mmCIF file of all heavy atoms in Angstrom:
data_model
loop_
_atom_site.group_PDB
_atom_site.id
_atom_site.type_symbol
_atom_site.label_atom_id
_atom_site.label_comp_id
_atom_site.label_asym_id
_atom_site.label_seq_id
_atom_site.Cartn_x
_atom_site.Cartn_y
_atom_site.Cartn_z
ATOM 1 N N LEU A 313 6.480 -13.573 -0.178
ATOM 2 C CA LEU A 313 5.484 -12.618 0.250
ATOM 3 C C LEU A 313 5.799 -11.201 -0.129
ATOM 4 O O LEU A 313 4.986 -10.308 0.134
ATOM 5 C CB LEU A 313 5.342 -12.777 1.775
ATOM 6 C CG LEU A 313 4.751 -14.124 2.193
ATOM 7 C CD1 LEU A 313 4.863 -14.334 3.701
ATOM 8 C CD2 LEU A 313 3.252 -14.189 1.796
ATOM 9 N N VAL A 314 6.969 -10.928 -0.713
ATOM 10 C CA VAL A 314 7.314 -9.561 -1.078
ATOM 11 C C VAL A 314 6.913 -9.342 -2.530
ATOM 12 O O VAL A 314 7.279 -10.128 -3.431
ATOM 13 C CB VAL A 314 8.829 -9.281 -0.912
ATOM 14 C CG1 VAL A 314 9.171 -7.865 -1.288
ATOM 15 C CG2 VAL A 314 9.276 -9.646 0.503
ATOM 16 N N ASP A 315 6.112 -8.305 -2.805
ATOM 17 C CA ASP A 315 5.699 -7.988 -4.166
ATOM 18 C C ASP A 315 6.761 -7.090 -4.882
ATOM 19 O O ASP A 315 7.085 -7.348 -6.025
ATOM 20 C CB ASP A 315 4.409 -7.245 -4.158
ATOM 21 C CG ASP A 315 3.308 -8.138 -3.603
ATOM 22 O OD1 ASP A 315 2.882 -9.044 -4.326
ATOM 23 O OD2 ASP A 315 2.831 -7.879 -2.484
ATOM 24 N N GLU A 316 7.249 -6.175 -4.110
ATOM 25 C CA GLU A 316 8.151 -5.176 -4.752
ATOM 26 C C GLU A 316 9.302 -4.771 -3.771
ATOM 27 O O GLU A 316 9.037 -4.787 -2.598
ATOM 28 C CB GLU A 316 7.322 -3.923 -5.137
ATOM 29 C CG GLU A 316 7.867 -3.184 -6.246
ATOM 30 C CD GLU A 316 6.783 -2.159 -6.758
ATOM 31 O OE1 GLU A 316 5.926 -2.513 -7.555
ATOM 32 O OE2 GLU A 316 6.876 -0.996 -6.293
ATOM 33 N N ILE A 317 10.488 -4.547 -4.291
ATOM 34 C CA ILE A 317 11.480 -3.978 -3.401
ATOM 35 C C ILE A 317 11.905 -2.619 -3.955
ATOM 36 O O ILE A 317 11.948 -2.356 -5.103
ATOM 37 C CB ILE A 317 12.745 -4.928 -3.213
ATOM 38 C CG1 ILE A 317 13.446 -5.138 -4.573
ATOM 39 C CG2 ILE A 317 12.390 -6.268 -2.596
ATOM 40 C CD1 ILE A 317 14.776 -5.879 -4.406
ATOM 41 N N VAL A 318 12.104 -1.719 -2.969
ATOM 42 C CA VAL A 318 12.669 -0.381 -3.321
ATOM 43 C C VAL A 318 13.991 -0.308 -2.642
ATOM 44 O O VAL A 318 14.102 -0.352 -1.473
ATOM 45 C CB VAL A 318 11.696 0.716 -2.804
ATOM 46 C CG1 VAL A 318 12.280 2.075 -3.159
ATOM 47 C CG2 VAL A 318 10.311 0.572 -3.392
ATOM 48 N N VAL A 319 15.034 -0.314 -3.476
ATOM 49 C CA VAL A 319 16.381 -0.399 -2.963
ATOM 50 C C VAL A 319 17.067 0.949 -3.209
ATOM 51 O O VAL A 319 17.116 1.423 -4.345
ATOM 52 C CB VAL A 319 17.209 -1.516 -3.680
ATOM 53 C CG1 VAL A 319 18.589 -1.676 -2.988
ATOM 54 C CG2 VAL A 319 16.472 -2.850 -3.619
ATOM 55 N N TYR A 320 17.575 1.544 -2.135
ATOM 56 C CA TYR A 320 18.333 2.770 -2.239
ATOM 57 C C TYR A 320 19.804 2.407 -2.182
ATOM 58 O O TYR A 320 20.223 1.788 -1.170
ATOM 59 C CB TYR A 320 17.955 3.738 -1.072
ATOM 60 C CG TYR A 320 16.504 4.124 -1.123
ATOM 61 C CD1 TYR A 320 15.530 3.368 -0.393
ATOM 62 C CD2 TYR A 320 16.037 5.207 -1.883
ATOM 63 C CE1 TYR A 320 14.204 3.732 -0.477
ATOM 64 C CE2 TYR A 320 14.697 5.564 -1.905
ATOM 65 C CZ TYR A 320 13.744 4.828 -1.199
ATOM 66 O OH TYR A 320 12.478 5.134 -1.294
ATOM 67 N N ILE A 321 20.565 2.744 -3.181
ATOM 68 C CA ILE A 321 21.912 2.243 -3.248
ATOM 69 C C ILE A 321 22.820 3.490 -3.080
ATOM 70 O O ILE A 321 22.829 4.499 -3.845
ATOM 71 C CB ILE A 321 22.204 1.630 -4.667
ATOM 72 C CG1 ILE A 321 21.195 0.499 -4.886
ATOM 73 C CG2 ILE A 321 23.644 1.117 -4.712
ATOM 74 C CD1 ILE A 321 21.220 -0.090 -6.270
ATOM 75 N N ALA A 322 23.639 3.425 -2.002
ATOM 76 C CA ALA A 322 24.583 4.514 -1.729
ATOM 77 C C ALA A 322 25.943 4.177 -2.365
ATOM 78 O O ALA A 322 26.405 3.034 -2.342
ATOM 79 C CB ALA A 322 24.736 4.636 -0.216
ATOM 80 N N PRO A 323 26.607 5.207 -2.871
ATOM 81 C CA PRO A 323 27.935 4.963 -3.538
ATOM 82 C C PRO A 323 28.981 4.793 -2.512
ATOM 83 O O PRO A 323 29.941 5.667 -2.393
ATOM 84 C CB PRO A 323 28.072 6.209 -4.412
ATOM 85 C CG PRO A 323 27.339 7.297 -3.665
ATOM 86 C CD PRO A 323 26.191 6.619 -2.967
ATOM 87 N N LYS A 324 28.935 3.723 -1.741
ATOM 88 C CA LYS A 324 30.006 3.449 -0.806
ATOM 89 C C LYS A 324 30.145 1.894 -0.677
ATOM 90 O O LYS A 324 29.212 1.172 -0.988
ATOM 91 C CB LYS A 324 29.817 4.087 0.549
ATOM 92 C CG LYS A 324 28.399 3.886 1.156
ATOM 93 C CD LYS A 324 28.282 4.613 2.537
ATOM 94 C CE LYS A 324 28.211 6.083 2.425
ATOM 95 N NZ LYS A 324 27.058 6.728 3.153
#
Side-chain angles (χ1 to χ4, degrees):
L313 293 168
V314 181
D315 295 288
E316 207 165 275
I317 60 172
V318 180
V319 187
Y320 299 91
I321 304 171
K324 48 181 73 130

